[in-house]
């Protein structure tokens, strides 16, 4: 402590024989060490309402015994330095974001008292979204909104609450609704929401009203202590310096100009939080992350497949909704269970919800580099568009499984072996078009032997919980395999161009 | 045990293993699965998930939760990260630890939702206002989405600094085997946090320093911290660099394509290697200089118009020619495309060399 400030402390002490009537609340620091100079007085101008508002809040914290469990969030604006004064935990927030910041503090420390203290530019202009949504969520915090109808810290620019006709440095001819719109009434606005528990507007214009403000502030903190809900107190407050008025005149201006424009009222006062609350189920980390022992046993595959490849790549393509991505995922999961390195890469985004979809599956005995496949070993084309789009990409000697009875007449033959299989019809006969992809999977496994049918069943068993659906899948897998067996291997004659039909 | 998992979901799993029980986010393609997985998993392990009204609110919620001592994260993609930049600057200024995930999509503006690596500058060079750095980790697999997220929490706490996981649409959307092991996470004590307790009553979280000398001191303190990170935290991976003529440099999904390109080149006897930065900030400059000390040319490949290439050039400082190959708009180069480009460069390189041998030096 410097010599100067020591001297000032001494001055502040009451001389012997006198009783100090206006004692400083212990919720304020005795000396404002965080201030650069004049550590015994605030940075607020004479007659400013912030000092009064601070005092009322400090006294309420003191009287309710909340000092060592309070967290005060200060805004950007004149009260950015609230942490100079309040001897409580302090967090200084970005401009307008104090309600968001306070939301997360309260959620992190639900038992603590969290105060967001904001001015009109902070709360009602740049931070409009944050205050509306914090109020709408019913965050159990107290918000003190100091409205003096002007930007103080930055030197007198127009606020969202500046009165119609009121001059400011950015409304030099007075606020004109045609250009700047009308003053925002935050208390009224927030009281249209369902969640807030308490919304009141008060004014620091005379002693009677200051006592009302005192009660409102106390009420907001009591609400939070009792877990009632979101409390909002709008405080109409004088700014003599920027308004260009003497402190006494400034107070009168609050009463005569601000109060008529911003009526004093209790807009909402609800005792208890009645919003319905349901808790999600609580589980262990290992269960939630699927790393418990029971997951492990479900996935064990007894037989290791003698894979005939170093790397095998499959592209599945079709319409969104045909189970394109799922088929790819199932193959990937099978590869993983057979001890391979695997990757699955989908096309993604809004087009997936109506248009075409495709995915890339890599099965490999070694670490996979690119999960993108330029030239797949197998293309599973679930519709004609996919066949036309991707057939030419398949490696020479690769396989194309096409979900139709025959190729389109004008289709230029690729170098790959094409197998046409009416998978949708087969699936329909089994009772569900949805298993078209599983029919194709059966055909793929039978034709290429890249993975084991047993692995397919074990994967399907863990993915499909309904027994009747699982049975259809089992039949679909068998039907796909049979088709290859009977039509392609035995019945069908391989034609000179390499086609089965 | 291995589980098949999507990259975006692995992020949340890694976060929960790291002890993260706080997630504040806003959905955006292609990062939405992170927010969805957080909404599903985090409340079940007793944590807080909140969908904010915007990315602006989300990052300021992260600020609040971190100020109160929580291990906290958020996730988004390019446009959302643009909105978060002010908040990240405050978090860095107030020295709060948190993890932020950017699953990069195509830009600028609305761009598209396909993968790009065009947020490198925004994340690695700061992005918000003022002198600060983010710690930036670049996963290249689903496993690393989890592992590097866990690491990001540790580094964030170690340095009291925001840590970014910089992924891309592909790594976020793809599925690969993921192996997780449960361990008790023990986030460090945070005596500086504001917790509403008598012990933390005098604490203040703020980034404001009105006096020029105070702010300069604060920045010097940050600078010292960044220097410490630069000395101890760079991470990278080498692949077949020993005898390489051309060194490929790429991160994230690009490094996977480059790895395949190296294999394709090696199978034809061309000597090509790969240097993959895992930390983008601090950039593994020293390791890169070492890896590039014997090569004839460095080729940087990015899904951008050339951003990381600047750090490669700064690191190598003219010692080796540094060339660039970039694709944008969601286009991703194929292995064949990269291999062909490498071949063309090699033939030019050898041609020049032959010419140099034929021309006698006067």
């Amino acid at each position: 402590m410097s010599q100067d400030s020591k001297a000032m402390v001494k001055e502040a002490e009451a001389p012997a024989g006198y009783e100090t009537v206006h004692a400083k609340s212990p919720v304020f620091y005795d000396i404002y060490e965080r201030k650069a100079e004049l550590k015994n007085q605030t940075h607020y101008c004479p007659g400013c309402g912030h000092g009064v508002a601070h005092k009322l809040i400090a006294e309420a914290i003191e009287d309710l015994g909340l000092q060592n469990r309070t967290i005060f969030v200060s805004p950007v604006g004149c009260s950015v330095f609230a942490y100079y004064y309040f001897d409580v935990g302090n967090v200084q927030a970005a401009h307008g974001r104090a309600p968001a910041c306070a939301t997360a503090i309260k959620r992190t420390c639900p038992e603590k008292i969290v105060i967001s203290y904001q001015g009109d530019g902070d709360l009602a202009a740049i931070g409009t979204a944050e205050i509306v949504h914090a109020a709408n969520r019913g965050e159990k915090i107290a918000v003190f909104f100091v409205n003096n109808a002007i930007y103080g810290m930055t030197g007198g620019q127009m606020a969202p609450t500046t009165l119609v006709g009121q001059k400011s440095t950015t409304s030099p001819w007075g606020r004109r609704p045609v250009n700047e719109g009308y003053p925002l009434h935050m208390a009224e606005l927030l009281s249209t929401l369902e969640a807030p528990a308490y919304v009141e507007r008060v004014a620091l214009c005379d002693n009677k009203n200051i006592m009302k403000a005192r009660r409102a502030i106390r009420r907001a903190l009591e609400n939070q202590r009792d877990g009632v809900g979101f409390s909002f107190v709008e405080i109409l407050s004088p700014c003599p310096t920027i308004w260009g008025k003497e402190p006494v005149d400034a107070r009168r201006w609050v009463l005569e100009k601000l109060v008529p424009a911003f009526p004093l009222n209790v807009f909402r006062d609800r005792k208890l939080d009645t919003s319905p609350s349901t808790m999600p189920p609580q589980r262990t980390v290992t269960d939630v992350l699927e790393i418990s022992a029971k997951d492990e046993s479900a996935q064990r595959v007894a037989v290791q497949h003698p894979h005939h490849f170093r790397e095998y790549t499959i592209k599945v393509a079709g319409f969104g909704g045909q189970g394109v991505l799922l088929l790819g995922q199932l193959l990937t999961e099978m590869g993983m269970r057979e001890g391979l390195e695997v990757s699955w890469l989908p096309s993604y985004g809004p087009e997936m919800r109506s248009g075409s979809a495709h995915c890339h599956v890599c099965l490999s005995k070694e670490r996979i580099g690119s999960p993108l496949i330029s030239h797949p070993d197998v293309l599973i084309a679930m519709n004609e568009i996919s066949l036309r789009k991707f057939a030419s990409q398949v490696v020479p000697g690769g396989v194309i499984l096409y979900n139709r009875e025959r190729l389109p007449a004008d289709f230029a033959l690729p170098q790959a072996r094409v197998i046409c299989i009416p998978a949708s019809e087969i699936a329909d006969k089994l009772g569900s078009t949805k298993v078209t992809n599983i029919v194709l999977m059966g055909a793929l496994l039978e034709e290429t032997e890249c993975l084991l049918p047993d692995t397919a069943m074990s994967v399907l068993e863990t993915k499909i919980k309904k027994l009747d659906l699982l049975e259809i899948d089992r039949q679909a897998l068998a039907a796909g395999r049979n088709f290859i067996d009977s039509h392609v291997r035995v019945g069908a004659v391989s034609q000179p161009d390499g086609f089965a039909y | 045990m291995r589980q098949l998992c999507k990259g975006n979901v692995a992020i949340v799993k890694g976060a929960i293993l790291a002890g993260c029980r706080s997630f504040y986010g806003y959905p955006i393609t292609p990062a939405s699965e992170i927010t969805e997985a957080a909404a599903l998993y985090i409340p079940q392990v007793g944590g807080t998930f909140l969908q904010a009204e915007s990315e602006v609110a989300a990052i300021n919620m992260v600020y609040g939760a971190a100020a109160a001592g929580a291990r906290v994260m958020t996730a988004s993609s390019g446009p959302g990260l643009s909105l978060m930049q002010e908040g990240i600057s405050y978090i860095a200024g107030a020295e709060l630890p948190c993890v932020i995930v950017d699953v990069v999509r195509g830009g600028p503006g609305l761009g598209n939702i396909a993968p790009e690596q065009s947020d490198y500058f925004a994340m690695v060079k700061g992005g918000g206002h003022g002198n600060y750095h983010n710690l930036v980790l670049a996963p290249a697999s689903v496993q690393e989405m989890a592992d590097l997220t866990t690491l990001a929490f540790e580094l964030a706490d170690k340095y009291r600094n925001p840590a970014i996981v910089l992924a891309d649409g592909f790594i976020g959307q793809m599925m690969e085997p993921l192996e997780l092991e449960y361990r008790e996470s023990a986030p460090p004590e945070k005596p500086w946090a504001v917790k509403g307790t008598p012990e933390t009553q005098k604490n203040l979280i703020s980034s404001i320093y009105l006096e020029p000398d105070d702010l300069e001191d604060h920045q010097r303190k940050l600078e010292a911290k960044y220097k410490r990170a630069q000395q101890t935290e760079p991470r990278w991976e080498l692949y077949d660099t020993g005898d390489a003529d051309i060194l490929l440099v790429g991160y994230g999904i690009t490094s996977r394509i480059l790895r395949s390109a190296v294999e394709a080149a090696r199978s034809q006897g061309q000597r090509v290697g790969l240097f993959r930065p895992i930390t983008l900030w601090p950039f593994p400059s020293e390791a890169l200089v070492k890896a590039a000390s014997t090569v004839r040319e460095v080729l940087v490949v990015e899904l951008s118009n050339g951003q990381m290439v600047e750090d490669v050039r700064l690191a190598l400082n003219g010692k080796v020619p540094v060339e660039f190959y970039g694709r944008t708009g969601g286009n991703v180069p194929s292995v064949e495309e990269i291999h062909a480009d490498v071949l063309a460069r090699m033939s030019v390189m050898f041609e020049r060399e032959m010419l140099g041998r034929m021309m006698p030096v006067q």
Side-chain angles (χ1 to χ4, degrees):
Chain A
M1 198 190 305
S2 70
Q3 285 297 323
D4 279 0
S5 52
K6 259 186 200 162
M8 293 184 82
V9 174
K10 205 147 202 175
E11 252 175 33
E13 283 168 8
Y18 286 84
E19 191 190 348
T20 309
V21 179
H22 297 289
K24 189 152 70 174
S25 166
V27 174
F28 288 131
Y29 284 112
D30 289 336
I31 297 164
Y32 308 135
E33 293 290 353
R34 285 178 174 143
K35 266 188 95 219
E37 50 192 14
L38 299 174
K39 293 176 193 287
N40 242 20
Q41 68 186 65
T42 73
H43 71 289
Y44 296 116
C45 307
C48 170
H50 278 302
V52 180
H54 280 23
K55 181 180 155 84
L56 298 178
I57 293 169
E59 287 176 354
I61 292 172
E62 178 191 352
D63 292 350
L64 299 174
L66 304 173
Q67 182 172 9
N68 61 15
R69 50 187 279 228
T70 295
I71 299 171
F72 193 104
V73 183
S74 55
V76 171
C78 286
S79 47
V80 63
F81 300 118
Y83 61 82
Y84 285 171
Y85 313 117
F86 286 94
D87 183 3
V88 296
N90 277 284
V91 177
Q92 200 290 310
H95 198 21
R97 318 304 172 209
C101 179
T103 290
I105 294 173
K106 183 70 180 183
R107 300 243 180 166
T108 305
C109 317
E111 305 306 318
K112 306 305 176 183
I113 305 296
V114 180
I115 294 171
S116 175
Y117 184 103
Q118 302 175 261
D120 42 41
D122 193 84
L123 182 138
I126 195 166
T128 320
E130 283 76 10
I131 188 61
V132 168
H133 285 274
N136 194 47
R137 290 188 302 263
E139 298 295 343
K140 294 183 171 61
I141 59 174
V143 178
F144 298 122
F145 168 43
V146 176
N147 175 4
N148 56 18
I150 199 78
Y151 279 49
M153 171 68 95
T154 44
Q157 296 81 14
M158 191 191 72
T161 50
T162 292
L163 301 180
V164 171
Q166 184 184 341
K167 285 184 181 169
S168 74
T169 59
T170 51
S171 56
W173 303 284
R175 182 175 191 156
R176 296 175 298 135
V178 68
N179 201 48
E180 288 101 15
Y182 292 89
L184 259 178
H185 292 72
M186 289 309 297
E188 286 87 342
L189 200 151
L190 296 184
S191 63
T192 64
L193 305 174
E194 274 179 52
Y198 176 60
V199 180
E200 180 168 358
R201 183 185 287 122
V202 296
L204 304 178
C205 55
D206 52 36
N207 288 352
K208 196 180 91 194
N209 275 294
I210 288 173
M211 291 316 286
K212 278 190 179 170
R214 179 189 168 85
R215 277 196 294 278
I217 285 167
R218 181 177 295 249
R219 180 56 177 279
L221 293 183
E222 283 169 351
N223 278 352
Q224 195 174 171
R225 179 196 62 191
D226 301 339
V228 171
F230 181 84
S231 299
F232 181 86
V233 181
E234 177 170 344
I235 304 166
L236 303 180
S237 174
C239 179
T241 302
I242 304 284
W243 293 351
K245 296 186 191 318
E246 292 297 319
V248 175
D249 295 337
R251 280 195 172 195
R252 194 175 304 123
W253 201 79
V254 172
L255 183 66
E256 290 172 359
K257 297 289 182 188
L258 282 188
V259 171
F262 297 100
L264 306 184
N265 199 1
V266 181
F267 297 93
R268 176 74 57 84
D269 189 4
R270 201 172 52 217
K271 293 273 184 265
L272 272 175
D273 182 12
T274 51
S275 55
S277 156
T278 50
M279 275 292 288
Q282 295 299 295
R283 298 197 295 155
T284 64
V285 169
T286 49
D287 275 354
V288 168
L289 301 188
E290 296 163 273
I291 49 177
S292 58
K294 78 173 192 286
D295 300 317
E296 204 152 340
S297 61
Q299 296 211 353
R300 203 160 292 147
V301 175
V303 193
Q304 287 292 307
H305 182 250
H307 302 96
H308 55 78
F309 50 82
R310 186 187 150 266
E311 185 167 278
Y312 205 72
T313 56
I314 303 163
K315 185 165 194 158
V316 190
F319 290 125
Q322 278 188 307
V324 170
L325 301 186
L326 178 65
L327 174 53
Q329 281 180 15
L330 293 172
L331 293 168
T332 313
E333 176 99 28
M334 286 162 62
M336 185 182 77
R337 292 199 194 182
E338 290 188 13
L340 293 169
E341 294 301 322
V342 294
S343 70
W344 172 87
L345 181 75
S347 58
Y348 62 86
E351 80 271 18
M352 302 294 300
R353 283 183 268 283
S354 55
S356 63
H358 67 261
C359 63
H360 297 180
V361 175
C362 290
L363 309 170
S364 176
K365 287 180 179 165
E366 286 162 36
R367 179 172 159 178
I368 294 170
S370 174
L372 270 121
I373 305 165
S374 326
H375 301 293
D377 295 305
V378 177
L379 169 68
I380 301 177
M382 295 187 71
N383 63 13
E384 190 183 325
I385 301 170
S386 305
L387 176 78
R388 289 186 186 276
K389 198 167 169 188
F390 299 122
S392 62
Q393 296 177 358
V394 179
V395 293
V399 176
I400 297 174
L401 288 168
Y402 179 46
N403 177 27
R404 279 288 162 80
E405 246 173 298
R406 57 180 57 84
L407 290 172
D410 64 334
F411 186 67
L413 299 172
Q415 292 190 313
R417 172 175 159 78
V418 184
I419 298 170
C420 294
I421 166 169
S424 294
E425 281 91 329
I426 294 173
D428 278 343
K429 277 182 200 151
L430 292 172
S432 172
T433 315
K434 282 185 178 171
V435 296
T436 303
N437 55 356
I438 305 299
V439 175
L440 286 162
M441 185 204 270
L444 171 78
L445 301 186
E446 191 65 21
E447 172 62 25
T448 68
E449 297 178 336
C450 61
L451 296 162
L452 288 172
D454 281 352
T455 320
M457 276 322 295
S458 95
V459 169
L460 287 169
E461 275 161 17
T462 48
K463 298 284 166 194
I464 294 156
K465 300 293 170 206
K466 283 190 182 167
L467 285 178
D468 50 339
L469 286 182
L470 185 63
E471 183 50 36
I472 298 180
D473 277 316
R474 185 195 308 278
Q475 290 171 14
L477 190 72
R481 295 179 63 197
N482 284 340
F483 183 88
I484 298 293
D485 228 18
S486 53
H487 291 68
V488 182
R489 290 238 177 100
V490 186
V493 181
S494 229
Q495 292 175 15
D497 58 9
F499 291 91
Y501 295 91
Chain B
M1 187 208 76
R2 300 198 299 171
Q3 55 174 295
L4 192 62
C5 187
K6 206 172 222 202
N8 280 343
V9 176
I11 292 247
V12 178
K13 294 195 168 185
I16 289 174
L17 279 183
C20 169
R21 297 291 181 274
S22 265
F23 188 105
Y24 298 89
Y26 188 82
I28 182 171
T29 308
S32 293
E33 293 88 353
I34 305 177
T35 306
E36 289 168 349
L40 181 64
Y41 296 148
I42 288 184
Q44 292 191 64
V45 292
T48 301
F49 167 84
L50 186 59
Q51 180 169 329
E53 58 271 26
S54 67
E55 290 90 346
V56 174
I59 195 69
N60 283 282
M61 288 171 181
V62 167
Y63 179 95
R71 270 200 163 169
V72 59
M73 74 179 294
T74 188
S76 189
S77 182
L81 264 297
S82 294
L83 284 173
M84 289 184 187
Q85 290 289 18
E86 183 206 29
I88 298 174
S89 170
Y90 273 71
I91 289 169
E95 292 195 86
L96 294 175
C98 69
V99 171
I100 300 154
V101 182
D102 182 0
V103 182
V104 184
R105 57 186 253 175
L110 205 45
N112 64 24
I113 55 166
E116 266 194 0
Q117 297 182 313
S118 47
D119 290 1
Y120 183 94
F121 282 156
M123 297 301 116
V124 174
K125 302 297 177 183
H129 57 284
N131 290 317
Y132 75 95
H133 286 290
N134 300 314
L135 301 157
V136 186
L137 302 166
S141 65
V142 170
Q143 184 68 46
E144 283 191 349
M145 287 290 253
D147 294 348
L148 293 186
T149 300
T150 305
L151 176 65
F153 277 102
E154 282 157 17
L155 294 180
D157 277 337
K158 181 174 172 187
Y159 291 96
R160 283 187 62 182
N161 204 68
I164 311 254
V165 176
L166 189 68
D168 59 75
F170 271 171
I171 298 283
Q173 295 293 324
M174 66 191 271
M175 290 178 101
E176 284 183 326
L178 171 68
E179 195 148 18
L180 297 174
E181 203 179 312
Y182 179 73
R183 60 196 172 283
E184 289 294 330
S185 57
E189 286 294 308
K190 297 179 180 177
W192 47 264
V194 175
K195 300 176 182 172
T197 57
E199 304 77 54
T200 64
Q201 186 176 322
K202 308 287 180 200
N203 288 354
L204 165 66
I205 299 297
S206 167
S207 58
I208 189 169
Y209 294 87
L210 268 196
E211 294 299 314
D213 286 347
D214 291 348
L215 185 55
E216 193 172 46
D217 284 349
H218 175 57
Q219 293 193 19
R220 289 210 169 114
K221 189 180 140 211
L222 294 181
E223 204 50 51
K225 172 171 97 175
Y226 299 145
K227 199 150 235 160
R228 233 171 39 242
Q230 280 173 317
Q231 280 158 1
T232 46
E233 303 307 341
R235 287 166 170 79
W236 65 93
E237 190 189 5
L238 301 173
Y239 182 55
D240 267 352
T241 53
D243 61 344
D245 291 318
I246 288 193
L247 181 67
L248 303 178
V249 183
Y251 69 95
I253 185 69
T254 309
S255 71
R256 299 280 297 264
I257 297 161
L258 297 186
R259 191 183 169 90
S260 291
V262 168
E263 280 169 13
R266 289 274 170 185
S267 72
Q268 295 180 8
Q270 296 128 16
R271 293 186 300 193
V272 181
L274 168 65
F275 182 89
R276 172 200 159 214
I278 296 173
T279 53
L280 298 178
W281 203 95
F283 194 75
S285 301
E286 267 179 51
L288 177 62
V289 168
K290 207 172 154 206
S293 60
T294 53
V295 305
R296 302 179 191 203
E297 191 173 305
V298 169
L299 175 64
V300 180
V301 183
E302 294 177 63
L303 306 184
S304 81
N305 58 351
Q307 300 193 11
M308 182 183 71
V309 64
E310 293 193 2
D311 281 335
V312 172
R313 289 199 171 115
L314 273 174
L316 297 178
N317 202 17
K319 285 175 198 146
V320 189
V322 176
E323 300 295 329
F324 177 70
Y325 189 94
R327 293 297 305 269
T328 59
N331 286 315
V332 180
S334 66
V335 174
E336 294 77 10
E337 189 178 337
I338 299 294
H339 186 199
D341 189 75
V342 168
L343 272 183
R345 286 173 196 284
M346 281 196 143
S347 64
V348 171
M349 214 161 66
F350 289 124
E351 226 166 77
R352 270 198 211 127
E353 219 157 82
M354 294 297 286
L355 278 173
R357 270 187 215 154
M358 286 190 297
M359 306 276 222
V361 182
Q362 293 289 320

